[in-house]
Amino acid sequence: MGKQLADNLLRKYLDEEGRFPESVGVSLWSIDAFKSDGEVFCQILYLMGMRPHWGANGRVIRVAYIDLDELSIDLEDDRTVTRPRVDVVIQTSCILRDMVPHFADLIDEATCMAGGLDEPFERNFILKHTRERIDELKKEVGGELSDSEIRRMASFRVFSSPPGTGGTGVGLALDASAWETEEDLAETYINWAGYAYGSDQGGKLARVAGMQAHRIYADNLKGLDVSYMRQYSPEHDRGGRRMLHRFSGGHERGRQGGQRQTGQALLGRHQRRGRPVRARSQGRYRGIGARQTVQQKLDRKSEKSRLQGRRRAYPSRVNNLFKWSATTHQVEKWVFDSVVETYLRDKENLEWLREQNPYALEEITRRLMEAQSRGLWNADADMLADVQDIALMIEGDMEEAMGEVTEEFQGAKVDVMTAKDVEKWQHTWKISSVGT
């Protein structure tokens, strides 16, 4: 399955770009270890031209490289072509990092092994990028670090948040509207997620367990041709996954360094019986998930019964839609329009929400207005006016329900505070400091 996932990704990129990708960024979550039996882990190894090596007890004990002569891919026109070792940069969740640490160890060992092979750069992009990184580091810190320390840093490919912590910070910034520019989100992501993890290489090296490596992570992301994530579970659409924008969306924002550069963002669909796993554009798949989530007309009685049990279902989906748009710019206008048509212009839905969950209604209108103000949604004038009118209506309802208030309360005003306003939020790594 890992080979199939890797081949499908490479075929798609080769078909669209006319070449193989040099570097792929992968968001690796714990579901790969606990539910999908290490499929993405094996996909990563096969992209790198590596394979797991099992011991007598059936457990993976190390990795081994596949000879370049064996690395090939079958194309849809029945041709077979040779392919290179592809560099892979990993952003791993805190759960996988802490509960399945050998995943990070084995990937790190594979990177170091591939980076030490005597092969041409055009067939081994891991070696190529490691050498490039070594040259850069020697110019920057050559007088401070030994050659072995520089080589170790140049081989880092597995990154996560600091030990004992989780998340990428992007979700918090988006929840609080605590950002002004895309550079703010990129800096937040890299400062939270730019900590390197690696193996002791069988006792040959010191274990790397959360070494601060923001600049190295940023440089790795900057060179990515593809940002990739595998969706394993068919029961979750894009609108229902609050973690997606934090990791995959944050990954994309960090990859672009706060700028809208070229590059692909791909999503591996879950496997269906009898059908191969395909890599799709995350933007296209997002559109499919959004259409299913927002536009479908469910039986009103069952829909409202479901909402009574999950009072935050609607606002969380609209929140996720906004956050995905903020981090990837891959949410089309019609998707936001559909939110308005389904939840606000449908009088029965509107009145039900107004009566049963005014806080959800307030959050939906607030996020829509924020999307418009940030240039994420090019709203038609009449549609925006409807959203604003309903926002004023629900604020009036909530103020009336509160009664007399003698102390301060927030109301509809949102004060945006960014990293420069809070001492504890000051970032170590800055985009401006490296001219990215």
Side-chain angles (χ1 to χ4, degrees):
M1 184 58 67
K3 180 179 183 298
Q4 185 185 73
L5 287 166
D7 283 350
N8 286 338
L9 187 156
L10 294 175
R11 281 193 201 96
K12 178 175 177 59
Y13 193 88
L14 180 63
D15 181 60
E16 296 185 1
E17 302 294 334
R19 64 179 179 88
F20 288 108
E22 291 195 13
S23 187
V24 175
V26 178
S27 290
L28 184 60
W29 290 11
S30 58
I31 195 170
D32 185 58
F34 302 144
K35 193 171 182 179
S36 60
D37 301 320
E39 292 174 1
V40 178
F41 171 74
C42 288
Q43 176 188 19
I44 292 167
L45 288 185
Y46 194 70
L47 284 171
M48 298 170 69
M50 312 295 286
R51 61 164 59 98
H53 182 86
W54 287 270
N57 61 358
R59 298 182 62 181
V60 176
I61 56 175
R62 61 182 174 85
V63 293
Y65 66 87
I66 302 170
D67 289 335
L68 284 179
D69 292 340
E70 298 179 38
L71 284 180
S72 63
I73 184 170
D74 296 327
L75 303 182
E76 293 183 355
D77 60 4
D78 295 328
R79 287 185 300 136
T80 298
V81 298
T82 58
R83 70 156 182 97
R85 302 188 195 280
V86 177
D87 203 355
V88 185
V89 181
I90 311 300
Q91 198 286 318
T92 180
S93 70
C94 61
I95 298 176
L96 188 142
R97 176 198 70 203
D98 295 340
M99 298 187 69
V100 199
H102 64 283
F103 268 41
D105 288 350
L106 291 169
I107 292 171
D108 179 63
E109 291 172 13
T111 302
C112 291
M113 182 182 296
L117 296 175
D118 184 13
E119 295 175 343
F121 283 177
E122 62 271 16
R123 295 293 309 280
N124 186 338
F125 294 132
I126 304 167
L127 172 63
K128 175 186 175 182
H129 299 158
T130 299
R131 292 281 180 84
E132 291 173 348
R133 198 64 34 75
I134 288 173
D135 292 341
E136 293 168 1
L137 288 170
K138 282 184 176 180
K139 293 178 181 178
E140 296 172 10
V141 294
E144 304 172 22
L145 300 176
S146 66
D147 288 348
S148 61
E149 289 173 321
I150 289 175
R151 171 172 285 278
R152 187 70 181 104
M153 294 175 65
S155 69
F156 289 156
R157 297 296 190 278
V158 181
F159 300 87
S160 187
S161 53
T165 70
T168 65
V170 173
L172 296 176
L174 292 169
D175 281 334
S177 300
W179 58 285
E180 292 179 341
T181 66
E182 295 170 0
E183 285 83 356
D184 291 335
L185 295 178
E187 289 181 355
T188 297
Y189 176 78
I190 291 171
N191 277 275
W192 279 59
Y195 291 79
Y197 290 81
S199 167
D200 63 0
Q201 305 286 313
K204 298 177 183 178
L205 299 171
R207 175 173 292 278
V208 179
M211 174 181 173
Q212 181 175 305
H214 303 321
R215 174 64 185 277
I216 295 173
Y217 189 37
D219 287 344
N220 273 299
L221 293 180
K222 187 170 61 175
L224 294 184
D225 295 307
V226 177
S227 294
Y228 175 88
M229 183 177 173
R230 168 81 189 284
Q231 180 201 8
Y232 178 78
S233 300
E235 63 267 24
H236 295 295
D237 60 58
R238 303 299 90 206
R241 295 304 295 268
R242 61 187 174 84
M243 300 296 288
L244 188 67
H245 63 269
R246 302 181 189 181
F247 289 90
S248 188
H251 199 190
E252 182 72 359
R253 191 79 271 128
R255 177 184 70 81
Q256 297 179 4
Q259 305 298 321
R260 300 186 192 182
Q261 301 171 349
T262 58
Q264 292 194 20
L266 301 181
L267 179 74
R269 291 194 62 184
H270 62 273
Q271 182 185 14
R272 294 182 178 179
R273 183 172 297 178
R275 298 184 186 181
V277 176
R278 295 291 184 183
R280 276 185 171 178
S281 162
Q282 288 205 26
R284 178 168 178 254
Y285 200 72
R286 180 64 184 195
I288 294 171
R291 187 181 299 275
Q292 293 170 341
T293 301
V294 177
Q295 282 196 321
Q296 64 182 355
K297 297 296 186 180
L298 303 177
D299 176 74
R300 294 189 188 281
K301 186 176 296 184
S302 62
E303 178 73 350
K304 290 171 183 177
S305 174
R306 184 178 68 85
L307 275 178
Q308 288 173 354
R310 297 186 59 193
R311 298 179 66 84
R312 287 191 57 81
Y314 276 2
S316 68
R317 288 179 179 274
V318 176
N319 261 332
N320 292 343
L321 195 68
F322 165 78
K323 294 170 183 176
W324 184 254
S325 180
T327 53
T328 68
H329 297 281
Q330 292 182 343
V331 177
E332 298 176 5
K333 176 181 179 296
W334 71 262
V335 182
F336 284 112
D337 290 350
S338 296
V339 173
V340 178
E341 295 289 353
T342 302
Y343 300 152
L344 305 184
R345 285 185 167 177
D346 184 306
K347 299 302 182 183
E348 189 172 350
N349 281 345
L350 174 62
E351 289 305 315
W352 190 91
L353 280 170
R354 183 181 181 186
E355 177 184 349
Q356 296 292 332
N357 199 343
Y359 303 102
L361 186 56
E362 185 276 333
E363 191 162 11
I364 289 172
T365 57
R366 175 161 43 85
R367 282 305 192 197
L368 287 169
M369 291 189 295
E370 183 175 2
Q372 188 275 333
S373 67
R374 291 187 183 274
L376 304 175
W377 174 38
N378 183 22
D380 297 334
D382 60 332
M383 189 167 282
L384 179 61
D386 287 348
V387 175
Q388 292 170 334
D389 289 344
I390 293 170
L392 289 173
M393 176 191 73
I394 195 63
E395 183 177 359
D397 289 349
M398 294 171 71
E399 289 181 0
E400 183 176 345
M402 290 172 62
E404 291 293 329
V405 178
T406 59
E407 298 181 4
E408 292 184 1
F409 66 97
Q410 179 174 327
K413 182 181 179 182
V414 176
D415 293 320
V416 175
M417 299 180 68
T418 61
K420 65 177 180 293
D421 302 310
V422 183
E423 184 177 354
K424 289 186 177 181
W425 290 358
Q426 295 302 308
H427 292 153
T428 302
W429 180 86
K430 295 280 189 180
I431 290 176
S432 58
S433 65
V434 293
T436 302

